[in-house]
Amino acid sequence: MEAMGVTAALGILLLLTAGVSTGDEAREAAAVRELLVRLLGPGPAAAFSVSVERSLAADSGLDTYRLSGGGAGTRVQVLGSTGVAAAAGLHRYLRDFCGCHVAWSGSQLRLPQPLPAVQEELTEATPNRYRYYQNVCTQSYSFLWWDWARWEQEIDWMALNGINLALAWSGQEAIWQRVYLALGLTQTEIDEYFTGPAFLAWGRMGNLHTWSGPLPPSWHLKQLYLQHRILDRMRSFGMIPVLPAFAGHVPKALTRVFPQVNVTQMGSWGHFNCSYSCSFLLAPEDPLFPLVGSLFLRELTKEFGTDHIYGADTFNEMQPPSSEPSYLAAATAAVYQAMIAVDPDAVWLLQGWLFQHQPEFWGPAQVAAVLGAVPRGRLLVLDLFAESQPVYVRTASFQGQPFIWCMLHNFGGNHGLFGALESVNRGPTTAHHFPNSTMVGTGMAPEGIGQNEVVYALMAELGWRKDPVADLGAWVTSFAARRYGVSHGDAEAAWRLLLRSVYNCSGEECRGHNHSPLVRRPSLQMVTTVWYNRSDVFEAWRLLLAATPTLASSPIFRYDLVDVTRQAVQELVSLYYEEVRTAYLKKELVPLTRAGGILAYELLPALDQVLASDCHFLLGSWLEQARLAAVSETEAHFYEQNSRYQLTLWGPQGNILDYANKQLAGLVADYYAPRWRLFSETLVESLVQGVPFQQHQFDRNAFQLEQTFVLGTKSYPSQPEGDTVDLVKKLFLKYYPRAGSF
């Protein structure tokens, strides 16, 4: 594509969205000042002066902040072109001048006195229009049970990290309910269509319906309330909320009301049968398509207002009914036309995952049909997995449509230390310099949050950098010092070891999806290979433990100690599993019994105890959040079961088994450990009786254990128990010497 066309496309997008963030400057400055008080308290916050002036970005049109002042008796001056820019500038000052740290697991905010002076006025402009955040799946894997207090914390985190574009998809089912009722569906038909709360993300993308539903009426009321508060707070910072739009999927019941409607039933998804998948897709030429689409968007924007950017995914992980470019163009155009019928300024935010997920279907002609069906600059594509499998490279920068370079990083909200930091560090710059690049932003699009915070700290920083970090080793050393509030040689050395091992994945096979034997249903064919040297993890574990006399008073340090211990145990499980498998294949009963017994009866219970010592690793907290969202005991039980299913079976028959695995106290003890005990006992029985191990029979027996957990009602502690350091030391002294002998 010619450079002139690229420039034109980007210009259209900038013009279309230029008015989105031109809200009241005073309101945005007030929002940042209120954030400052929540973060630091009213006394320390008084040492800062925050203001917002659009003119600061007059030359570039890009978010800009300016820092000045500080020192004895002088307030720190934070000026931003938007509220988001001012918040990002504030974060820059706290991070680089004060050595502070803000993260999901907690914050380290020990301010030096007096506040350090900004010796030379510092002005920084972001190199791109957007810093995007979220994945459609994040809504279900992480945000599912949040109340307003937790949302407020997250939006503060977003502002401090400079996020100015994010999904705001809560409450949409309440709007759809109004639309479906207006179209003639009954309440029963609507209730049968919606999934349960834990699976709404896939209902919204057309992958699922019905499963684990229905939604209680109270759910709709609470989500509407939350959405209004979320949107008000996001807009107060000058963020751009992305609202949902109609993608073409409809309930089967629509065919009862309109018998002549032209629909296609899609194929099954995620090993679900058509009782829960095989969604119905309206034909783009059917007159109901623009009617349904415009009804929904009109009702949505009437309720919530609009910032003119909408998300919709018609073919997420689903093969279209036809590969004909004409069909794909028509299906895409129909979605866009329904948007602009209500909002002539609409811009469509499209997750580019479909091109990455099924590359054999999405050839050049098919990709071109979708990208060309929307005017240039009116389609904004998320290159969702760009740190590993960038799509812009093989689509000529999305054929002139603007795109955001995104780091996906995490699948299923899994625990497990993982990152491709070198790729993340250099990826945005490489994309920016790609021939005729149409890159307009960077993004973080994890399926789940609350893990691997170092990865997100780097990605957020890159949203404001014009070049990669020159020395990641030095960067991670500084990260550790800020995180703990003090420089400590052992802790910093531990982080450098993690950087060169678990955070140094490279190549297209890098995926942040934990397939460790610890969290998978056991078999004799499990893969235990990793891309790093396990000895680096064990040594990092030792170094963190050595730092406890100095750092144990830091809650964030204790969180990291638990997390690295969890990772070390995960490695040990793989190594003991290899001993179990080898002993079984060699028909050696004593070594089999010994290794299997240690893994299932000693190591996993010890891990559960360590996890139980930190509030971030409690199954009880996860389930309590679900129950607190309910208005009755019946609802509380229903929500808890939704949560249990998502963490484990993911479907009635283990359809996407352990996809959303997490290492939580209670889940390890009562879900993972029983499976491993069953596996070890089954293998021993096989050798003793001289009969082959039958995987199918084991799977049936394991499913009974899994289902018992999901349908159970056992309550779990929602407060930590035990001393983290003592428990880790005990586990370390028992297993670290053994780790070196594997």
Side-chain angles (χ1 to χ4, degrees), residues 534-535 538 541 568 572 575-576 734-742:
R534 285 191 169 98
S535 64
F538 294 133
W541 186 27
L572 287 165
L575 299 173
Y576 277 112
K734 182 172 183 178
Y735 292 101
Y736 181 79
R738 180 72 176 129
S741 67
F742 279 105

Side-chain angles (χ1 to χ4, degrees), residues 33-77:
R33 286 193 287 269
E34 290 165 5
L35 180 160
L36 192 53
V37 171
R38 288 191 295 274
L39 189 67
L40 302 178
F48 294 81
S49 173
V50 177
S51 54
V52 171
E53 296 177 9
R54 297 284 185 265
S55 59
L56 185 61
D59 293 337
S60 66
L62 300 171
D63 280 0
T64 305
Y65 60 76
R66 179 175 295 157
L67 302 176
S68 60
T74 305
R75 299 172 81 190
V76 176
Q77 304 290 322

Side-chain angles (χ1 to χ4, degrees), residues 201-278:
W202 302 276
R204 292 165 178 174
M205 293 185 287
N207 305 120
L208 290 178
H209 58 83
T210 309
W211 163 239
S212 210
L215 294 173
S218 63
W219 175 266
H220 296 305
L221 292 173
K222 285 194 169 189
Q223 293 302 305
L224 283 173
Y225 163 80
L226 271 178
Q227 177 75 338
H228 276 289
R229 297 204 69 172
I230 290 165
L231 289 172
D232 182 69
R233 183 58 57 83
M234 288 178 67
R235 288 165 176 159
S236 76
F237 284 117
M239 293 179 192
I240 306 167
V242 179
L243 296 177
F246 177 54
H249 313 109
V250 294
K252 181 182 180 181
L254 198 70
T255 63
R256 176 191 62 78
V257 183
F258 301 98
Q260 304 305 314
V261 68
N262 186 354
V263 294
T264 300
Q265 188 168 19
M266 306 288 281
S268 63
W269 176 86
H271 308 292
F272 283 85
N273 62 32
C274 290
S275 297
Y276 301 117
S277 66
C278 310

Side-chain angles (χ1 to χ4, degrees), residues 509-526:
E509 298 308 309
C510 284
R511 299 175 83 88
H513 197 191
N514 195 344
H515 290 283
S516 164
L518 193 163
V519 294
R520 310 299 283 187
R521 183 187 284 171
S523 76
L524 291 172
Q525 283 76 45
M526 304 181 89

Side-chain angles (χ1 to χ4, degrees), residues 65-218:
Y65 60 76
R66 179 175 295 157
L67 302 176
S68 60
T74 305
R75 299 172 81 190
V76 176
Q77 304 290 322
V78 180
L79 174 64
S81 59
T82 64
V84 166
L90 169 64
H91 188 216
R92 170 77 177 275
Y93 178 81
L94 293 173
R95 184 190 71 206
D96 292 355
F97 289 81
C98 301
C100 293
H101 181 74
V102 179
W104 289 311
S105 62
S107 299
Q108 185 285 110
L109 295 168
R110 291 197 291 271
L111 296 175
Q113 294 299 328
L115 290 177
V118 181
Q119 298 294 344
E120 294 186 11
E121 187 176 80
L122 173 63
T123 300
E124 192 76 64
T126 179
N128 298 299
R129 174 73 176 89
Y130 298 113
R131 281 88 53 209
Y132 171 77
Y133 177 52
Q134 292 182 39
N135 182 306
V136 173
C137 299
T138 327
Q139 307 276 322
S140 290
Y141 283 134
S142 293
F143 305 164
L144 175 56
W145 308 116
W146 283 6
D147 57 12
W148 168 243
R150 182 60 186 87
W151 265 111
E152 183 173 57
Q153 292 175 12
E154 192 69 11
I155 297 170
D156 284 352
W157 179 91
M158 290 160 58
L160 290 165
N161 283 284
I163 303 299
N164 68 346
L165 182 68
L167 300 184
W169 279 27
S170 299
Q172 63 177 285
E173 284 71 31
I175 306 300
W176 274 118
Q177 181 170 258
R178 295 177 197 171
V179 171
Y180 293 147
L181 287 171
L183 288 169
L185 274 69
T186 67
Q187 188 63 54
T188 299
E189 289 170 331
I190 296 168
D191 289 343
E192 289 174 352
Y193 179 64
F194 289 139
T195 69
F199 303 95
L200 282 175
W202 302 276
R204 292 165 178 174
M205 293 185 287
N207 305 120
L208 290 178
H209 58 83
T210 309
W211 163 239
S212 210
L215 294 173
S218 63

Side-chain angles (χ1 to χ4, degrees), residues 537-554:
V537 174
F538 294 133
E539 180 62 7
W541 186 27
R542 185 191 71 79
L543 287 167
L544 280 186
L545 196 55
T548 55
T550 303
L551 300 180
S553 62
S554 163

